[in-house]
Amino acid sequence: MERAAKKEAVEQLNGVFKTTSVAVVAQYSGLTVAQMQKLRQQMKQAGASVKVSKNRLAKIALEGTDVVAIGPMLKGPTVIATSNDPVAAPKVAIEFAKANEKFVIVGGSMGKTVLNVDGVKALASLPSLDELRGKIVGLLVAPATKLAQLANAPAGKLARVIQAHASKGEAA
């Protein structure tokens, strides 16, 4: 790589690291190109991204960011998965690691907090941001639905009583 290309790569990585809320580091030695493409596709669908770069350049790009703590984890052939949703990248990485034994999660970082493998697994087990929003909306809508049902219940009961009375009158 030329010096200008290296500088551009470092600046691009630095921008990614500054805007991300979570980063997961994994070793990918032995994965095929098709498997890496599948990983990239799954990450993209989840709203995350995957970066493969030289470890030395990545360490330089980490300086001045919240995820600087992942620097010591960058040894050997590593891939860095990042996302703004704190659950997206860890969830996809854990699922991919279960399906591919050559994809080994080393650790990660959530903001300034360093995560080991168990920390990444714990993040992956949490519900996603969209799921949490859905639950909150459901909790907010539930009382209004119950109020509407209660308001309609007396009128419904009255209508059934009148209908039963009318049926009884017709039968007689």
Side-chain angles (χ1 to χ4, degrees):
M1 267 179 118
E2 291 183 26
R3 179 171 261 172
K6 286 180 183 179
K7 187 174 181 179
E8 185 179 325
V10 167
E11 288 174 1
Q12 184 183 16
L13 275 172
N14 187 271
V16 169
F17 292 145
K18 281 184 177 179
T19 59
T20 191
S21 65
V22 67
V24 178
V25 179
Q27 294 184 341
Y28 68 96
S29 181
L31 287 180
T32 65
V33 173
Q35 289 170 326
M36 281 300 289
Q37 290 292 60
K38 186 176 181 182
L39 173 64
R40 290 178 195 279
Q41 183 181 26
Q42 289 175 354
M43 285 287 185
K44 188 174 182 179
Q45 287 174 349
S49 65
V50 176
K51 295 286 181 193
V52 177
S53 71
K54 291 187 174 190
N55 292 338
R56 194 170 352 125
L57 296 180
K59 287 178 183 178
I60 293 169
L62 284 169
E63 292 176 13
T65 65
D66 287 346
V67 293
V68 70
I70 65 171
M73 297 177 198
L74 300 175
K75 293 178 182 163
T78 55
V79 62
I80 303 170
T82 59
S83 68
N84 290 331
D85 181 1
V87 179
K91 191 170 278 197
V92 173
I94 292 293
E95 290 299 317
F96 191 79
K98 287 178 185 175
N100 301 288
E101 66 225 16
K102 293 182 181 178
F103 186 78
V104 180
I105 295 175
V106 177
S109 176
M110 185 173 140
K112 294 184 179 183
T113 307
V114 179
L115 302 172
N116 58 7
V117 178
D118 294 329
V120 174
K121 287 181 181 177
L123 266 180
S125 66
L126 294 173
S128 71
L129 198 58
D130 290 336
E131 291 172 12
L132 287 174
R133 287 178 180 152
K135 286 181 182 180
I136 290 172
V137 168
L139 290 173
L140 292 174
V141 170
T145 304
K146 288 180 182 177
L147 281 174
Q149 289 172 347
L150 287 174
N152 291 334
K157 285 181 183 178
L158 182 62
R160 283 191 288 281
V161 168
I162 293 172
Q163 180 65 34
H165 216 339
S167 322
K168 192 190 248 184
E170 289 174 9

